[in-house]
Amino acid sequence: MMMLHGKGVAPGAAVGHVFIYNKNYDIPAESFILSGQEQAHLNRYFSVKKQALEELEKIKVSMLKVDSAKAAIFDAQKEIVEDIIINEEIPARILNERWSGAWAVYQVYETVLNVLRNTPDPLISERAADFDDVRALLLKIWYGQKTEGLSNLPEPVIVAARELLPSDTAGLKRDKVLAIITEAGGITSHTAIIAKSFGIPAVLGIEGLLNSIKQGQLVAVNAEEGTVIVDPKDDVKKEFLEKSGVFNRERQETEGFLEKEGRTACGTKIEISLNISSSNDEELKMQSFTDSVGLLRTEFLYMEHNKLPPEDEQFYSYKKILECFNEKPVVLRTLDIGGDKQVPYLDFKREDNPFLGNRGIRFCFSNRDILKTQIRAALRASVYGNLWILLPMITSLDDIRNAKKIIKEAGNELKKEGIKFNDVKTGIMIEVPGIAHIADLAAQEVDFASIGSNDLCQYLCAADRMNETVESYYQCYHPAVFRLIKTAISAFNDAGKSISICGELGNDVKAVPVLIGLGLRKFSMGAASIAAVKKTISGLTIEKAQETALHVLGLPTAEEIEKYLELI
């Protein structure tokens, strides 16, 4: 019996036999073609490229049924297939240097991958996995190999791999995967995202994993502790089977709360809103289980194209969402790019620290026409529902007033054109500590606010949430995080204005009681978290939540807060 250690990224436990997954594809040898064969290889490349785009679209559609935010991964991969530089280089190598098509695909992508892998910026280096995934897809299609990934597992297994890429897990069936264990990957990796979406226990970052296990070997996984036991003894096997059974029963019980209302045991209504990233029907069907759209990420309109989306296209997308939710509020966040979200066709200057750079509302202020077009489209759509406009990366009252001025200008333009629109509520993201500290002043300027806990935490802790090397410094339970959130909630409650939370802390069932105790009455989250949060709320009273919050505010460290919340 041997114990391996990693990082638990999705809760649960499991016992089962290992299926070692290797993403094999034929690596072409350096090869050249005869004169006159160039066009045939070029035509073959364009055919393979077309098939790859079709395959990625199929995968994206299937992923929409699980979590539309994760489906965006495959839109990003489609952009890689269409990358302008790559699609200049591959044909050039075939036509000018007579490289075989397969060798051209492999080598051109390898050149890009070498640059990405060696960059010190983790935001850029993490993109290497997507380029590697796309290259594998292209070569498998070239050689006529299946691209089914983990979609056809014959029986329930524990999947072990060096790393799982998006296409590997796209067709994954929840009932055939007991747990996932990998050598690479952290809390922000594709594997972690997928595991959480499916509710599959996962332990990642296990050093030497594939040298320590064999195909078919029995292992026990405890994702709560981040451990994997190889060849467990009978008593350990029994213990883990019991843990797995408890986990699965609790998961089924939790799923039963999806259709219930968000209400505490003492009868207080807690609004449960939905974070969405598209106007896809699969995502919109969740409207019947929620009170509103708490966050409409409009970036999908910009990231799925090779040029800026025109006003009419934006209008029809917003209109569809507003009509679906009818009188329920739809909180539309204006374009929030920069930092970890880049749009290839927009000219972003390289920044040493993009999270502190020209992102969110700052980018929109420096590109007023882009923001104006979006606001016009949103206002036009407002007559079809209950639209609220949310402004990201606000740092001062000057930002608020500048944005409101642009909204007013857009409205005046529509009036002159005889286009009807409704009055809309205007709100801000509270994700920068500076605006949180003057939340009382901000509440006099806007109608509502939404706490973006992910960025608020990274700015407070001075730790890039996408950088695994400083992962331990990104402390979402840091006392300063809860204290500053309390400041913001109190300010907006005192002003009689709505305030919600839309970051990861808001769907963390350990943090939910604290947030309610601090006065929060509205949460917004992805579809996968709704049932669990409703279940947590149903077991609370306001009095108990307030006691919990008061105790947390008195604790001095993130570790002590987390231990306390695990015990209550």
Side-chain angles (χ1 to χ4, degrees):
M1 190 170 80
M2 173 175 57
M3 181 177 289
L4 305 174
H5 298 273
K7 177 172 287 293
V9 298
V15 177
H17 294 282
V18 168
F19 176 81
I20 298 177
Y21 176 71
N22 292 309
K23 191 180 180 72
N24 294 322
Y25 62 91
D26 291 341
I27 298 176
E30 183 176 1
S31 57
F32 300 88
I33 54 180
L34 298 174
S35 177
Q37 294 181 325
E38 298 94 338
Q39 194 59 48
H41 277 251
L42 187 59
N43 290 343
R44 174 69 177 142
Y45 168 65
F46 288 132
S47 175
V48 166
K49 177 184 157 186
K50 182 174 181 291
Q51 286 180 253
L53 290 170
E54 291 171 352
E55 182 72 20
L56 289 169
E57 181 63 22
K58 288 179 184 177
I59 296 172
K60 185 187 84 169
V61 170
S62 69
M63 277 301 298
L64 284 168
K65 299 176 182 178
V66 180
D67 191 325
S68 64
K70 313 308 177 282
I73 291 170
F74 300 98
D75 276 326
Q77 292 200 349
K78 286 168 68 177
E79 289 179 3
I80 293 172
V81 175
E82 296 276 33
D83 184 87
I84 294 174
I85 295 175
I86 288 175
N87 282 283
E88 287 177 351
E89 279 293 305
I90 291 175
R93 300 298 183 182
I94 294 172
L95 293 173
N96 301 333
E97 301 182 37
R98 293 184 187 165
W99 285 10
S100 69
W103 175 244
V105 169
Y106 180 82
Q107 195 57 38
V108 169
Y109 271 86
E110 186 65 16
T111 301
V112 176
L113 283 164
N114 283 333
V115 174
L116 293 174
R117 289 166 180 153
N118 293 319
T119 181
D121 187 341
L123 293 175
I124 298 174
S125 62
E126 285 178 2
R127 290 283 286 160
D130 283 312
F131 278 81
D132 198 15
D133 206 17
V134 168
R135 178 174 66 175
L137 175 62
L138 289 167
L139 289 173
K140 281 190 172 186
I141 295 173
W142 189 282
Y143 291 120
Q145 297 171 340
K146 292 184 178 180
T147 58
E148 58 190 20
L150 294 168
S151 61
N152 287 319
L153 293 170
E155 59 185 3
V157 293
I158 290 175
V159 174
R162 192 193 73 79
E163 181 180 21
L164 292 179
L165 300 176
S167 61
D168 301 324
T169 56
L172 181 151
K173 294 179 174 58
R174 172 66 183 85
D175 60 345
K176 293 296 179 67
V177 181
L178 301 171
I180 294 172
I181 53 178
T182 67
E183 285 189 344
I187 58 173
T188 62
S189 67
H190 289 319
T191 309
I193 291 169
I194 297 298
K196 290 176 183 177
S197 295
F198 279 97
I200 298 173
V203 180
L204 311 185
I206 306 170
E207 188 174 347
L209 171 66
L210 298 182
N211 290 327
S212 305
I213 57 174
K214 299 176 183 177
Q215 193 75 267
Q217 198 167 19
L218 188 71
V219 299
V221 177
N222 185 342
E224 302 288 346
E225 298 180 1
T227 58
V228 175
I229 299 175
V230 182
D231 289 327
K233 294 179 180 179
D234 287 344
D235 59 334
V236 175
K237 178 182 175 181
K238 180 180 178 182
E239 176 191 348
F240 274 66
L241 284 171
E242 290 175 353
K243 287 181 179 179
S244 177
V246 169
F247 171 72
N248 288 326
R249 286 193 297 274
E250 288 180 348
R251 182 167 58 84
Q252 290 174 357
E253 178 190 343
T254 298
E255 289 172 356
F257 279 83
L258 181 62
E259 297 183 5
K260 296 183 179 180
E261 188 179 34
R263 193 171 290 277
T264 65
C266 59
T268 301
K269 167 69 176 173
I270 306 295
E271 288 188 48
I272 303 297
S273 302
L274 184 66
N275 293 343
I276 63 174
S277 302
S278 77
S279 57
N280 183 275
D281 291 339
E282 284 294 328
E283 190 162 14
L284 296 183
K285 72 180 183 182
M286 292 301 295
Q287 64 87 17
S288 59
F289 307 122
T290 56
D291 298 299
S292 64
V293 172
L295 177 64
L296 167 56
R297 300 183 179 96
T298 59
E299 294 76 47
F300 75 94
L301 281 167
Y302 297 80
M303 300 180 79
E304 65 185 16
H305 296 299
N306 293 321
K307 60 180 181 179
L308 288 168
E311 182 179 318
D312 280 350
E313 181 181 343
Q314 295 189 55
F315 162 70
Y316 286 116
S317 290
Y318 304 152
K319 175 177 178 285
K320 180 180 179 182
I321 296 167
L322 285 161
E323 286 179 329
C324 176
F325 278 80
N326 199 7
E327 291 303 312
K328 295 179 180 179
V330 172
V331 177
L332 181 153
R333 185 177 67 188
T334 58
L335 180 60
D336 187 14
I337 55 174
D340 57 332
K341 296 188 288 292
Q342 299 287 328
V343 177
Y345 55 83
L346 292 175
D347 185 22
F348 277 93
K349 294 180 180 179
R350 187 189 180 282
E351 297 177 299
D352 290 334
N353 194 335
F355 277 107
L356 297 179
N358 190 30
R359 59 174 299 206
I361 201 68
R362 298 172 178 178
F363 173 83
C364 290
F365 285 159
S366 59
N367 295 271
R368 288 172 66 95
D369 289 345
I370 294 177
L371 178 59
K372 179 77 72 68
T373 298
Q374 182 175 36
I375 296 297
R376 282 176 55 95
L379 291 177
R380 287 171 57 193
S382 67
V383 297
Y384 296 95
N386 185 1
L387 177 70
W388 298 15
I389 293 178
L390 180 66
L391 306 167
M393 196 62 181
I394 295 293
T395 60
S396 66
L397 298 191
D398 291 328
D399 286 345
I400 296 173
R401 291 167 182 171
N402 194 8
K404 287 167 68 175
K405 181 179 178 182
I406 295 173
I407 294 171
K408 185 175 181 180
E409 288 174 2
N412 289 336
E413 289 178 7
L414 294 177
K415 284 180 182 178
K416 289 179 181 178
E417 296 167 25
I419 298 174
K420 293 182 179 180
F421 62 93
N422 289 343
D423 290 334
V424 300
K425 291 188 176 182
T426 303
I428 59 169
M429 291 284 291
I430 295 181
E431 51 195 340
V432 177
I435 200 67
H437 278 294
I438 58 169
D440 58 329
L441 301 177
Q444 304 307 313
E445 298 276 341
V446 296
D447 302 305
F448 70 99
S450 181
I451 300 168
S453 62
N454 299 348
D455 275 338
L456 186 64
C457 179
Q458 82 165 345
Y459 291 137
L460 269 174
C461 297
D464 181 350
R465 60 188 172 92
M466 304 295 288
N467 186 344
E468 291 183 18
T469 60
V470 293
E471 192 176 293
S472 63
Y473 294 96
Y474 178 82
Q475 299 176 354
C476 60
Y477 295 139
H478 195 293
V481 173
F482 286 114
R483 291 185 181 198
L484 198 52
I485 285 175
K486 178 181 185 296
T487 297
I489 293 172
S490 297
F492 274 78
N493 283 347
D494 289 346
K497 305 285 181 71
S498 171
I499 184 166
S500 64
I501 191 167
C502 62
E504 291 296 320
L505 200 64
N507 58 48
D508 180 343
V509 294
K510 289 185 290 189
V512 166
V514 184
L515 296 169
I516 290 176
L518 294 176
L520 198 68
R521 297 294 181 265
K522 185 175 182 179
F523 294 75
S524 189
M525 64 203 68
S529 302
I530 292 172
V533 171
K534 285 184 176 181
K535 179 184 177 183
T536 299
I537 290 169
S538 72
L540 286 173
T541 64
I542 296 298
E543 183 180 3
K544 177 61 179 175
Q546 289 172 338
E547 291 174 2
T548 300
L550 186 62
H551 189 81
V552 164
L553 292 175
L555 294 174
T557 69
E559 182 180 5
E560 290 173 81
I561 290 174
E562 185 168 12
K563 285 181 179 179
Y564 169 69
L565 294 179
E566 286 173 349
L567 293 174
I568 63 171

Short mmCIF file of all heavy atoms in Angstrom, two decimals, residues 176-224:
data_model
loop_
_atom_site.label_atom_id
_atom_site.label_comp_id
_atom_site.label_asym_id
_atom_site.label_seq_id
_atom_site.Cartn_x
_atom_site.Cartn_y
_atom_site.Cartn_z
N LYS A 176 -19.35 6.94 -15.79
CA LYS A 176 -18.24 6.04 -16.13
C LYS A 176 -16.91 6.50 -15.50
O LYS A 176 -15.89 5.85 -15.69
CB LYS A 176 -18.08 5.96 -17.65
CG LYS A 176 -19.24 5.28 -18.36
CD LYS A 176 -19.35 3.81 -17.95
CE LYS A 176 -20.52 3.12 -18.62
NZ LYS A 176 -20.35 3.01 -20.07
N VAL A 177 -16.93 7.63 -14.81
CA VAL A 177 -15.70 8.14 -14.19
C VAL A 177 -15.93 8.31 -12.69
O VAL A 177 -16.69 9.16 -12.25
CB VAL A 177 -15.27 9.48 -14.82
CG1 VAL A 177 -13.99 9.98 -14.16
CG2 VAL A 177 -15.06 9.33 -16.32
N LEU A 178 -15.25 7.48 -11.91
CA LEU A 178 -15.39 7.52 -10.46
C LEU A 178 -14.59 8.69 -9.87
O LEU A 178 -15.01 9.31 -8.90
CB LEU A 178 -14.90 6.21 -9.85
CG LEU A 178 -15.62 4.94 -10.32
CD1 LEU A 178 -14.89 3.71 -9.82
CD2 LEU A 178 -17.07 4.95 -9.84
N ALA A 179 -13.42 8.95 -10.48
CA ALA A 179 -12.57 10.04 -10.01
C ALA A 179 -11.53 10.32 -11.09
O ALA A 179 -11.34 9.52 -12.01
CB ALA A 179 -11.89 9.67 -8.69
N ILE A 180 -10.86 11.46 -10.95
CA ILE A 180 -9.79 11.85 -11.88
C ILE A 180 -8.54 12.15 -11.06
O ILE A 180 -8.60 12.87 -10.07
CB ILE A 180 -10.18 13.10 -12.69
CG1 ILE A 180 -11.37 12.80 -13.62
CG2 ILE A 180 -9.00 13.62 -13.50
CD1 ILE A 180 -11.94 14.02 -14.31
N ILE A 181 -7.39 11.58 -11.50
CA ILE A 181 -6.11 11.87 -10.86
C ILE A 181 -5.09 12.17 -11.96
O ILE A 181 -5.03 11.47 -12.96
CB ILE A 181 -5.63 10.71 -9.97
CG1 ILE A 181 -5.60 9.38 -10.73
CG2 ILE A 181 -6.51 10.59 -8.74
CD1 ILE A 181 -5.08 8.21 -9.90
N THR A 182 -4.33 13.24 -11.79
CA THR A 182 -3.36 13.63 -12.83
C THR A 182 -2.05 14.10 -12.21
O THR A 182 -2.00 14.48 -11.04
CB THR A 182 -3.90 14.77 -13.72
OG1 THR A 182 -4.02 15.97 -12.95
CG2 THR A 182 -5.25 14.40 -14.33
N GLU A 183 -1.01 14.07 -13.05
CA GLU A 183 0.30 14.58 -12.62
C GLU A 183 0.34 16.10 -12.67
O GLU A 183 0.97 16.74 -11.83
CB GLU A 183 1.41 14.02 -13.52
CG GLU A 183 1.74 12.57 -13.25
CD GLU A 183 2.98 12.13 -14.00
OE1 GLU A 183 3.40 12.84 -14.94
OE2 GLU A 183 3.52 11.07 -13.66
N ALA A 184 -0.28 16.68 -13.69
CA ALA A 184 -0.24 18.14 -13.88
C ALA A 184 -1.60 18.73 -13.53
O ALA A 184 -2.60 18.03 -13.39
CB ALA A 184 0.13 18.47 -15.32
N GLY A 185 -1.62 20.06 -13.44
CA GLY A 185 -2.90 20.75 -13.23
C GLY A 185 -3.05 21.28 -11.83
O GLY A 185 -2.59 20.67 -10.86
N GLY A 186 -3.74 22.43 -11.75
CA GLY A 186 -4.04 23.05 -10.46
C GLY A 186 -5.49 23.47 -10.40
O GLY A 186 -6.31 23.03 -11.22
N ILE A 187 -5.82 24.35 -9.48
CA ILE A 187 -7.22 24.70 -9.25
C ILE A 187 -7.82 25.48 -10.42
O ILE A 187 -9.03 25.54 -10.57
CB ILE A 187 -7.39 25.52 -7.95
CG1 ILE A 187 -6.54 26.80 -7.99
CG2 ILE A 187 -7.05 24.69 -6.75
CD1 ILE A 187 -6.79 27.72 -6.82
N THR A 188 -6.98 26.08 -11.28
CA THR A 188 -7.50 26.84 -12.41
C THR A 188 -7.38 26.09 -13.73
O THR A 188 -7.70 26.63 -14.78
CB THR A 188 -6.76 28.19 -12.54
OG1 THR A 188 -5.37 27.93 -12.80
CG2 THR A 188 -6.90 29.01 -11.28
N SER A 189 -6.92 24.84 -13.71
CA SER A 189 -6.70 24.09 -14.94
C SER A 189 -8.01 23.64 -15.57
O SER A 189 -9.06 23.60 -14.91
CB SER A 189 -5.83 22.86 -14.66
OG SER A 189 -6.53 21.93 -13.85
N HIS A 190 -7.95 23.25 -16.86
CA HIS A 190 -9.12 22.73 -17.54
C HIS A 190 -9.68 21.51 -16.80
O HIS A 190 -10.89 21.35 -16.67
CB HIS A 190 -8.78 22.32 -18.97
CG HIS A 190 -8.52 23.47 -19.89
ND1 HIS A 190 -9.28 24.62 -19.88
CD2 HIS A 190 -7.58 23.66 -20.86
CE1 HIS A 190 -8.83 25.46 -20.80
NE2 HIS A 190 -7.80 24.91 -21.40
N THR A 191 -8.79 20.65 -16.32
CA THR A 191 -9.23 19.43 -15.64
C THR A 191 -10.04 19.77 -14.40
O THR A 191 -11.09 19.16 -14.13
CB THR A 191 -8.03 18.57 -15.24
OG1 THR A 191 -7.20 18.37 -16.39
CG2 THR A 191 -8.47 17.21 -14.72
N ALA A 192 -9.57 20.74 -13.62
CA ALA A 192 -10.29 21.14 -12.40
C ALA A 192 -11.66 21.71 -12.74
O ALA A 192 -12.66 21.39 -12.09
CB ALA A 192 -9.47 22.17 -11.63
N ILE A 193 -11.71 22.53 -13.77
CA ILE A 193 -12.97 23.14 -14.19
C ILE A 193 -13.99 22.07 -14.59
O ILE A 193 -15.15 22.10 -14.18
CB ILE A 193 -12.73 24.11 -15.36
CG1 ILE A 193 -11.94 25.33 -14.87
CG2 ILE A 193 -14.04 24.56 -15.99
CD1 ILE A 193 -11.43 26.22 -15.98
N ILE A 194 -13.53 21.11 -15.41
CA ILE A 194 -14.43 20.05 -15.87
C ILE A 194 -14.88 19.17 -14.72
O ILE A 194 -16.06 18.80 -14.60
CB ILE A 194 -13.73 19.20 -16.96
CG1 ILE A 194 -13.41 20.06 -18.18
CG2 ILE A 194 -14.59 18.01 -17.35
CD1 ILE A 194 -14.61 20.64 -18.88
N ALA A 195 -13.94 18.79 -13.84
CA ALA A 195 -14.28 17.92 -12.71
C ALA A 195 -15.35 18.56 -11.82
O ALA A 195 -16.30 17.90 -11.39
CB ALA A 195 -13.03 17.60 -11.90
N LYS A 196 -15.19 19.84 -11.55
CA LYS A 196 -16.18 20.55 -10.73
C LYS A 196 -17.55 20.59 -11.42
O LYS A 196 -18.59 20.41 -10.78
CB LYS A 196 -15.71 21.97 -10.43
CG LYS A 196 -14.53 22.04 -9.48
CD LYS A 196 -14.06 23.49 -9.32
CE LYS A 196 -12.83 23.59 -8.43
NZ LYS A 196 -12.33 24.96 -8.32
N SER A 197 -17.53 20.81 -12.72
CA SER A 197 -18.79 20.89 -13.47
C SER A 197 -19.55 19.57 -13.42
O SER A 197 -20.78 19.55 -13.30
CB SER A 197 -18.52 21.27 -14.93
OG SER A 197 -17.98 22.56 -15.01
N PHE A 198 -18.82 18.47 -13.52
CA PHE A 198 -19.46 17.15 -13.53
C PHE A 198 -19.69 16.60 -12.13
O PHE A 198 -20.36 15.59 -11.95
CB PHE A 198 -18.60 16.16 -14.32
CG PHE A 198 -18.77 16.23 -15.81
CD1 PHE A 198 -17.88 16.95 -16.59
CD2 PHE A 198 -19.80 15.55 -16.45
CE1 PHE A 198 -18.02 17.01 -17.96
CE2 PHE A 198 -19.94 15.61 -17.82
CZ PHE A 198 -19.05 16.34 -18.59
N GLY A 199 -19.09 17.22 -11.12
CA GLY A 199 -19.19 16.69 -9.77
C GLY A 199 -18.37 15.44 -9.58
O GLY A 199 -18.78 14.51 -8.87
N ILE A 200 -17.20 15.38 -10.22
CA ILE A 200 -16.33 14.20 -10.13
C ILE A 200 -15.18 14.50 -9.17
O ILE A 200 -14.48 15.50 -9.34
CB ILE A 200 -15.75 13.84 -11.52
CG1 ILE A 200 -16.87 13.48 -12.49
CG2 ILE A 200 -14.75 12.69 -11.42
CD1 ILE A 200 -16.39 13.29 -13.92
N PRO A 201 -14.95 13.64 -8.17
CA PRO A 201 -13.81 13.85 -7.28
C PRO A 201 -12.51 13.91 -8.09
O PRO A 201 -12.32 13.09 -9.00
CB PRO A 201 -13.84 12.62 -6.36
CG PRO A 201 -15.25 12.12 -6.43
CD PRO A 201 -15.73 12.44 -7.81
N ALA A 202 -11.63 14.84 -7.76
CA ALA A 202 -10.39 14.98 -8.54
C ALA A 202 -9.24 15.41 -7.65
O ALA A 202 -9.39 16.30 -6.81
CB ALA A 202 -10.58 15.98 -9.67
N VAL A 203 -8.09 14.75 -7.85
CA VAL A 203 -6.84 15.11 -7.19
C VAL A 203 -5.82 15.34 -8.29
O VAL A 203 -5.52 14.43 -9.07
CB VAL A 203 -6.35 14.02 -6.22
CG1 VAL A 203 -5.03 14.45 -5.56
CG2 VAL A 203 -7.39 13.73 -5.16
N LEU A 204 -5.28 16.54 -8.36
CA LEU A 204 -4.36 16.90 -9.44
C LEU A 204 -2.98 17.25 -8.88
O LEU A 204 -2.81 17.42 -7.68
CB LEU A 204 -4.91 18.10 -10.22
CG LEU A 204 -6.36 18.05 -10.68
CD1 LEU A 204 -6.69 19.28 -11.53
CD2 LEU A 204 -6.68 16.78 -11.44
N GLY A 205 -2.01 17.35 -9.79
CA GLY A 205 -0.66 17.73 -9.38
C GLY A 205 0.04 16.68 -8.55
O GLY A 205 0.81 17.01 -7.64
N ILE A 206 -0.18 15.38 -8.86
CA ILE A 206 0.45 14.29 -8.12
C ILE A 206 1.80 13.96 -8.77
O ILE A 206 1.84 13.36 -9.85
CB ILE A 206 -0.44 13.03 -8.10
CG1 ILE A 206 -1.84 13.37 -7.59
CG2 ILE A 206 0.20 11.94 -7.25
CD1 ILE A 206 -2.84 12.26 -7.76
N GLU A 207 2.87 14.34 -8.15
CA GLU A 207 4.19 14.14 -8.72
C GLU A 207 4.51 12.65 -8.85
O GLU A 207 4.34 11.87 -7.91
CB GLU A 207 5.25 14.82 -7.84
CG GLU A 207 6.64 14.84 -8.45
CD GLU A 207 7.62 15.65 -7.61
OE1 GLU A 207 7.15 16.39 -6.71
OE2 GLU A 207 8.82 15.55 -7.86
N GLY A 208 4.97 12.24 -10.06
CA GLY A 208 5.35 10.85 -10.29
C GLY A 208 4.20 9.87 -10.36
O GLY A 208 4.40 8.65 -10.24
N LEU A 209 2.98 10.36 -10.59
CA LEU A 209 1.80 9.49 -10.59
C LEU A 209 1.93 8.33 -11.55
O LEU A 209 1.74 7.16 -11.17
CB LEU A 209 0.55 10.32 -10.94
CG LEU A 209 -0.74 9.53 -11.19
CD1 LEU A 209 -1.20 8.85 -9.91
CD2 LEU A 209 -1.84 10.42 -11.75
N LEU A 210 2.24 8.60 -12.81
CA LEU A 210 2.21 7.55 -13.82
C LEU A 210 3.34 6.54 -13.67
O LEU A 210 3.28 5.44 -14.24
CB LEU A 210 2.24 8.18 -15.22
CG LEU A 210 1.04 9.08 -15.55
CD1 LEU A 210 1.13 9.61 -16.97
CD2 LEU A 210 -0.28 8.35 -15.33
N ASN A 211 4.36 6.89 -12.89
CA ASN A 211 5.42 5.92 -12.59
C ASN A 211 5.09 5.10 -11.35
O ASN A 211 5.82 4.16 -11.02
CB ASN A 211 6.75 6.65 -12.36
CG ASN A 211 7.31 7.25 -13.64
OD1 ASN A 211 7.11 6.70 -14.73
ND2 ASN A 211 7.98 8.39 -13.51
N SER A 212 4.00 5.46 -10.68
CA SER A 212 3.65 4.80 -9.41
C SER A 212 2.45 3.87 -9.52
O SER A 212 2.13 3.15 -8.58
CB SER A 212 3.36 5.86 -8.34
OG SER A 212 4.43 6.75 -8.20
N ILE A 213 1.77 3.90 -10.67
CA ILE A 213 0.57 3.07 -10.84
C ILE A 213 0.64 2.28 -12.14
O ILE A 213 1.40 2.61 -13.04
CB ILE A 213 -0.72 3.93 -10.83
CG1 ILE A 213 -0.65 5.01 -11.92
CG2 ILE A 213 -0.95 4.55 -9.46
CD1 ILE A 213 -1.93 5.80 -12.08
N LYS A 214 -0.19 1.24 -12.22
CA LYS A 214 -0.28 0.41 -13.42
C LYS A 214 -1.71 0.37 -13.91
O LYS A 214 -2.66 0.59 -13.14
CB LYS A 214 0.21 -1.01 -13.12
CG LYS A 214 1.66 -1.10 -12.66
CD LYS A 214 2.01 -2.53 -12.29
CE LYS A 214 3.44 -2.62 -11.74
NZ LYS A 214 3.77 -4.00 -11.32
N GLN A 215 -1.86 0.07 -15.18
CA GLN A 215 -3.20 -0.05 -15.78
C GLN A 215 -3.99 -1.12 -15.02
O GLN A 215 -3.51 -2.23 -14.78
CB GLN A 215 -3.07 -0.45 -17.25
CG GLN A 215 -4.33 -0.31 -18.06
CD GLN A 215 -4.66 1.12 -18.41
OE1 GLN A 215 -5.39 1.78 -17.68
NE2 GLN A 215 -4.12 1.60 -19.51
N GLY A 216 -5.22 -0.76 -14.59
CA GLY A 216 -6.08 -1.72 -13.91
C GLY A 216 -5.84 -1.86 -12.43
O GLY A 216 -6.56 -2.61 -11.75
N GLN A 217 -4.85 -1.18 -11.89
CA GLN A 217 -4.54 -1.29 -10.47
C GLN A 217 -5.62 -0.64 -9.62
O GLN A 217 -6.24 0.35 -10.02
CB GLN A 217 -3.19 -0.62 -10.20
CG GLN A 217 -2.53 -1.00 -8.90
CD GLN A 217 -1.08 -0.55 -8.85
OE1 GLN A 217 -0.66 0.33 -9.61
NE2 GLN A 217 -0.29 -1.16 -7.98
N LEU A 218 -5.88 -1.20 -8.45
CA LEU A 218 -6.90 -0.65 -7.55
C LEU A 218 -6.34 0.53 -6.78
O LEU A 218 -5.24 0.46 -6.22
CB LEU A 218 -7.39 -1.72 -6.58
CG LEU A 218 -8.61 -1.33 -5.72
CD1 LEU A 218 -9.86 -1.28 -6.59
CD2 LEU A 218 -8.81 -2.33 -4.57
N VAL A 219 -7.08 1.64 -6.76
CA VAL A 219 -6.67 2.80 -5.97
C VAL A 219 -7.87 3.37 -5.24
O VAL A 219 -9.02 3.18 -5.65
CB VAL A 219 -6.03 3.92 -6.85
CG1 VAL A 219 -4.79 3.41 -7.54
CG2 VAL A 219 -7.03 4.47 -7.85
N ALA A 220 -7.59 4.07 -4.15
CA ALA A 220 -8.62 4.78 -3.39
C ALA A 220 -8.29 6.27 -3.41
O ALA A 220 -7.15 6.65 -3.13
CB ALA A 220 -8.67 4.26 -1.96
N VAL A 221 -9.26 7.07 -3.73
CA VAL A 221 -9.06 8.52 -3.88
C VAL A 221 -9.86 9.27 -2.82
O VAL A 221 -11.06 9.04 -2.66
CB VAL A 221 -9.49 9.00 -5.28
CG1 VAL A 221 -9.35 10.51 -5.40
CG2 VAL A 221 -8.70 8.29 -6.37
N ASN A 222 -9.18 10.16 -2.10
CA ASN A 222 -9.84 11.05 -1.16
C ASN A 222 -9.54 12.49 -1.59
O ASN A 222 -8.48 13.04 -1.28
CB ASN A 222 -9.34 10.81 0.27
CG ASN A 222 -10.10 11.65 1.30
OD1 ASN A 222 -10.75 12.63 0.95
ND2 ASN A 222 -10.02 11.25 2.56
N ALA A 223 -10.46 13.07 -2.35
CA ALA A 223 -10.24 14.42 -2.88
C ALA A 223 -10.36 15.49 -1.81
O ALA A 223 -9.91 16.62 -2.01
CB ALA A 223 -11.22 14.70 -4.02
N GLU A 224 -10.96 15.15 -0.67
CA GLU A 224 -11.06 16.12 0.42
C GLU A 224 -9.67 16.39 0.99
O GLU A 224 -9.33 17.52 1.36
CB GLU A 224 -11.97 15.58 1.53
CG GLU A 224 -13.39 15.26 1.07
CD GLU A 224 -14.21 16.50 0.78
OE1 GLU A 224 -13.79 17.60 1.18
OE2 GLU A 224 -15.27 16.36 0.15
#
